[in-house]
Every structure is written in structure tokens, then in C-alpha cells.
Amino acid sequence: MERFHHPHSDDALEVLKDAQVVAVVGISPDPERPSYYVSERLISKGKHRVYFINPKYAGQEILGVKVLPSLSDVPEKIDIVNVFRNPAHIEPILEEAIKIGARCVWLQPGCENHEVIERYKDKIKIVWNACIGVEAGYL
């Protein structure tokens, strides 16, 4: 059972409890993709204002939310940047999150890049090893 323990889950849950604005980077219109169904769960909880970021789908609506091209297009301060991207592509997301003053970057399982985490962990709070959809279920 130990392998299911999330070392950050208490911390992650606290971050999520305090958050009001979540920006989901890497949203997909495909209901089979984790970014879609995890975001759907987050929205269904009704506790957070959720923004979707994906330049590929900018201007379209997914789950009733208009997709924005970048984090800097979000019109309010972001508490959590929730990332669904290939680990090779997360560094620019962290850089942009820091630049716009986001409070936390949450790397969904499978998005972790430990080199990048090591490089940025003292510049911004980073949560990984926990799924925001699972944690939202505890709210």
C-alpha cells in the first residue's frame, strides 16, 4: 500500500483549500484526456474560478470555459497553475508562472521533471506526486 502514498498530499490539499483561481495549462477538448476529466471534476466542485490555457485551442470553449493562449491572458491573480504537459515542456510554464506572480505550480502525475523542479523549487511553490482531481475530492 505504501506506493500509493502521496508525499505532498496534505500540503497539496492545503494549497487547494486556500486557492480561488486555478489555471489549467494543457487543456484538451478530448473527454478521454486527464486534463479534461480532472478539470471537469474541479469545476463541478464549484469552489474555484478555473481558466484554461492552450494556444492550440485559444478562443474555443471547453467545458463552457473559453480557452486562453497563455497564463498572462488570465485577468486575475492565479493561485494554482495546474499543468498537464509533457515533462520536457514544463520549464517555460514555470518561468511564465513566476513572471506573472502565480502562487503555486501543480505538476500533474506524469508531468514531473525533477531537474526543472530542483531548479525552480526555491522560486515558486511546486506540488507534484498528487492529482488535483483526487485532492479536490477531499474538499
Side-chain angles (χ1 to χ4, degrees):
M1 267 323 228
E2 186 56 32
R3 68 191 176 95
F4 293 109
H5 175 69
H6 296 225
H8 295 278
S9 61
D10 292 345
D11 192 30
L13 191 56
E14 284 310 305
V15 166
L16 196 54
K17 270 186 198 166
D18 295 342
Q20 293 178 352
V21 178
V22 178
V24 178
V25 176
I27 186 68
S28 168
D30 179 354
E32 302 293 311
R33 303 288 303 171
S35 65
Y36 184 97
Y37 58 78
V38 168
S39 296
E40 188 173 40
R41 180 165 195 179
L42 200 56
I43 290 168
S44 76
K45 289 287 172 188
K47 186 187 178 318
H48 305 95
R49 288 186 302 286
V50 179
Y51 292 90
F52 290 155
I53 314 300
N54 189 329
K56 184 176 175 184
Y57 302 111
Q60 295 181 31
E61 272 194 18
I62 298 174
L63 294 166
V65 177
K66 188 176 177 197
V67 182
L68 302 172
S70 74
L71 289 171
S72 54
D73 293 300
V74 174
E76 58 185 317
K77 188 157 172 49
I78 299 169
D79 295 308
I80 298 173
V81 175
N82 185 28
V83 181
F84 290 90
R85 288 298 317 269
N86 180 304
H89 302 297
I90 67 165
E91 189 163 16
I93 297 164
L94 275 152
E95 287 170 355
E96 189 178 11
I98 292 164
K99 187 172 143 196
I100 62 161
R103 282 185 39 221
C104 171
V105 172
W106 189 311
L107 302 172
Q108 287 292 125
C111 300
E112 309 93 339
N113 178 325
H114 294 287
E115 252 178 62
V116 174
I117 291 168
E118 203 52 43
R119 218 172 7 255
Y120 288 89
K121 70 178 189 205
D122 296 330
K123 297 179 175 103
I124 190 168
K125 182 172 189 63
I126 303 172
V127 174
W128 73 96
N129 288 346
C131 173
I132 203 166
V134 171
E135 299 300 326
Y138 295 113
L139 291 177

